Amino acid sequence: MTMRFYDSASATIREFEPVVPGEARIYYCGATVQGEPHLGHIRSALVFDQLSRWMRYRGLKVTTVRNVTDIDDKILAKSAESMEPGFEGEFPNEQWWALAYRFEKVFAQAYAALGIDPPTYEPRATGHIPEMFALIQRLIDRGHAYPALDDSGDVYFDVRSWDKYGALTNQSVEDMQDSADADPRGKRDPRDFALWKGYKEGEPLTASWESPWGRGRPGWHLECSAMAGKYLGSRFDIHGGGLDLRFPHHENELAQSTAAGDDFANFWMHNGMVTYEGEKMSKSIGNTISPAQMLQMARPLVVRYYLGSAHYRSILDYRPSSLQEAATAIERVEAFLAAAQDVLKPGREVPEAFAEAMDDDVNIPRALAVLHEQTRAGNAALAAGEDASEAANAVMAMAEVLGLAQLMSFNAEGTSGAEHEALDALIQAVLAERADARAQKDWAKADAMRDLLASAGVQVKDGANGSSWSVG
């Protein structure tokens, strides 16, 4: 086993060597729960679900951490808006923590609908304030952080004190934009970013904590470093997230953690964005589509297949025909497995070509090509009345690894599901009518019935024990 992944920090593909032999420890950025999830959130979670599933198949003990940012400027702003006179939304006078929890549940429902496994740990930022205090103090003691020069109560990371700042995105400090997370008057350099944000008049008192530097709340970047360190230690295998988080969020995480003395992540992995017909999705121009909308248009199996079909580092471009194309592709696989479920056996293994694709930087498009090739071979075997067990077990093994089998109309043990039973009942009724026509030597009617099924993509195989069907 030699897995290779693209490391965003070095811009090279490197062999994966676990920090702890036999284990893989992964941290990837979750959501700021100030609204419903968008496709970028779901795609990122799906990418790291695919990665962790493959690592488990390869025999590693995988620990995953996906944080929840449950306190943030936008969360506080939306809560404040709900308390304004004349607010006409569904949740008036909603406290910030209630708003955050409500949307956290919406995210959880979206993840679950698409078969994304829960992470090993899903820590909330507000539950880790002591760990954040400790990290800030370490940075101050090492000369890399300082309390604000004014009386705001802010604490900043001193970017010029750390000569490796900019290493993740290969930038120099002079080329960077100012950090807009706090008033620059309290900073030594406008690019310094906030580790702790002092309490401001008008903010809810419940959204602040007493600290050695005054009452306030944590900065966004600090939260992830503190939680990654708590659950995965000072050095772990992979830190991931969407490409849009690379700067400033991940750059700042790397700087503050390494400046505090931690080795931090051995690999940085970033997934690409989702676009709409080649353009960035934007509510202002009306070209957005949400996971909820997709799930109204197609089954969870189809949506998962589509969102997970591109290479994780590439752009995933949505078009109005995308879900239909995905349905055609994955439902062909599902139908083959349903037709061949009697020959499924435990202990299934993926084909070598599939394993090579997954080991090569989780190359999903190549892996899916193997899945469809084996499906075609299996359907051909069924149509010829030959043994399709090898193909069926290979296809099921791949579908399980990709997290697709659990969303199909029958489970991994081969138990028929309601959708397949309904389809089978309809086809069997047509086959029975065709059998009667053949018995009466009404060949024209029998051929017409066969052609009807063929037009729907159903292949009929006549044998000594009657007729069987498959989709292919």
Side-chain angles (χ1 to χ4, degrees):
M1 177 189 67
T2 304
M3 289 185 285
R4 301 170 298 278
F5 303 130
Y6 181 84
D7 174 30
S8 298
S10 63
T12 60
I13 291 181
R14 298 165 42 213
E15 289 190 6
F16 177 75
E17 296 181 6
V19 171
V20 178
E23 296 188 19
R25 293 179 293 173
I26 304 169
Y27 184 99
Y28 68 96
C29 287
T32 298
V33 285
Q34 50 93 11
E36 294 189 359
H38 58 62
L39 286 187
H41 294 130
I42 301 303
R43 186 192 184 191
S44 186
L46 179 51
V47 160
F48 290 99
D49 184 61
Q50 291 174 323
L51 171 64
S52 59
R53 285 173 181 272
W54 178 243
M55 287 180 150
R56 290 189 183 98
Y57 179 85
R58 278 306 201 190
L60 294 173
K61 177 186 176 183
V62 181
T63 300
T64 53
V65 181
R66 180 182 66 214
N67 72 296
V68 176
T69 297
D70 59 342
I71 187 163
D72 171 83
D73 290 345
K74 293 180 180 178
I75 293 173
L76 297 182
K78 287 193 173 184
S79 172
E81 182 183 350
S82 76
M83 298 181 183
E84 293 178 356
F87 177 76
E88 297 180 352
E90 186 178 355
F91 297 92
N93 301 312
E94 188 172 30
Q95 298 290 334
W96 65 271
W97 44 265
L99 183 148
Y101 183 60
R102 175 164 62 87
F103 284 118
E104 182 182 335
K105 291 195 296 182
V106 175
F107 273 83
Q109 290 165 359
Y111 295 143
L114 296 178
I116 296 170
D117 282 341
T120 313
Y121 304 105
E122 193 165 18
R124 298 187 184 104
T126 55
H128 298 78
I129 302 300
E131 290 82 2
M132 297 176 200
F133 289 169
L135 181 54
I136 292 173
Q137 192 60 58
R138 287 166 62 195
L139 288 166
I140 291 175
D141 292 344
R142 286 170 169 259
H144 300 300
Y146 61 94
L149 303 178
D150 57 15
D151 59 355
S152 63
D154 295 345
V155 181
Y156 303 111
F157 182 85
D158 185 350
V159 297
R160 292 191 179 276
S161 74
W162 186 242
D163 60 5
K164 298 182 181 65
Y165 187 65
L168 182 63
T169 52
N170 196 28
Q171 298 183 80
S172 67
V173 173
E174 285 71 20
D175 294 334
M176 295 180 184
Q177 294 180 340
D178 296 350
S179 180
D181 57 358
D183 193 319
R185 70 182 183 181
K187 300 181 179 183
R188 294 174 183 170
D189 187 293
R191 300 168 188 83
D192 293 347
F193 59 88
L195 301 170
W196 187 253
K197 304 175 78 168
Y199 173 76
K200 296 178 179 60
E201 194 68 32
E203 292 182 345
L205 199 61
T206 55
S208 62
W209 291 260
E210 289 292 350
S211 82
W213 312 281
R215 194 166 189 89
R217 55 190 169 90
W220 176 36
H221 315 301
L222 179 78
E223 297 171 354
C224 283
S225 284
M227 289 185 282
K230 179 178 178 65
Y231 292 94
L232 299 178
S234 63
R235 185 181 178 215
F236 55 94
D237 296 293
I238 295 171
H239 193 310
L243 189 62
D244 58 326
L245 298 178
R246 199 163 166 241
F247 185 87
H249 185 47
H250 289 169
E251 186 73 75
N252 292 350
E253 275 190 72
L254 176 61
Q256 65 198 9
S257 293
T258 50
D262 293 342
D263 290 327
F264 213 50
N266 196 24
F267 276 82
W268 287 85
M269 297 177 69
H270 292 95
N271 61 274
M273 300 295 98
V274 184
T275 59
Y276 193 110
E277 294 187 308
E279 295 186 1
K280 182 179 178 180
M281 289 191 184
S282 171
K283 290 183 179 180
S284 62
I285 61 176
N287 68 342
T288 62
I289 182 169
S290 69
Q293 288 173 313
M294 280 193 171
L295 288 168
Q296 290 176 346
M297 297 164 61
R299 298 163 55 199
L301 171 66
V302 173
V303 177
R304 180 181 176 109
Y305 178 87
Y306 164 68
L307 290 176
S309 61
H311 193 286
Y312 77 91
R313 286 193 283 121
S314 67
I315 291 173
L316 178 65
D317 190 45
Y318 177 81
R319 305 178 310 282
S321 62
S322 292
L323 291 178
Q324 183 55 54
E325 292 167 1
T328 300
I330 191 56
E331 289 175 359
R332 188 180 298 269
V333 176
E334 181 184 36
F336 164 62
L337 288 173
Q341 62 185 286
D342 291 342
V343 298
L344 294 177
K345 299 176 182 178
R348 297 177 280 266
E349 295 185 1
V350 302
E352 184 176 346
F354 180 91
E356 289 175 351
M358 294 296 286
D359 282 343
D360 186 15
D361 198 28
V362 202
N363 194 322
I364 294 291
R366 273 176 49 200
L368 289 177
V370 179
L371 176 73
H372 292 298
E373 178 185 357
Q374 287 292 312
T375 299
R376 287 190 292 270
N379 275 324
L382 288 177
E386 299 172 352
D387 181 14
S389 61
E390 182 176 352
N393 284 286
V395 169
M396 179 58 86
M398 291 183 280
E400 288 171 335
V401 166
L402 294 172
L404 298 169
Q406 63 190 0
L407 298 176
M408 291 181 175
S409 61
F410 60 96
N411 64 31
E413 285 68 45
T415 304
S416 180
E419 292 181 19
H420 177 67
E421 288 181 352
L423 179 63
D424 182 63
L426 292 172
I427 295 175
Q428 292 297 343
V430 177
L431 290 178
E433 188 175 348
R434 177 173 175 267
D436 287 342
R438 290 177 54 148
Q440 297 171 22
K441 297 186 179 182
D442 187 347
W443 307 119
K445 181 177 180 180
D447 288 346
M449 303 302 290
R450 186 184 187 111
D451 292 343
L452 173 66
L453 292 172
S455 67
V458 178
Q459 295 181 348
V460 177
K461 176 65 178 178
D462 296 319
N465 296 319
S467 300
S468 60
W469 65 271
S470 64
V471 178

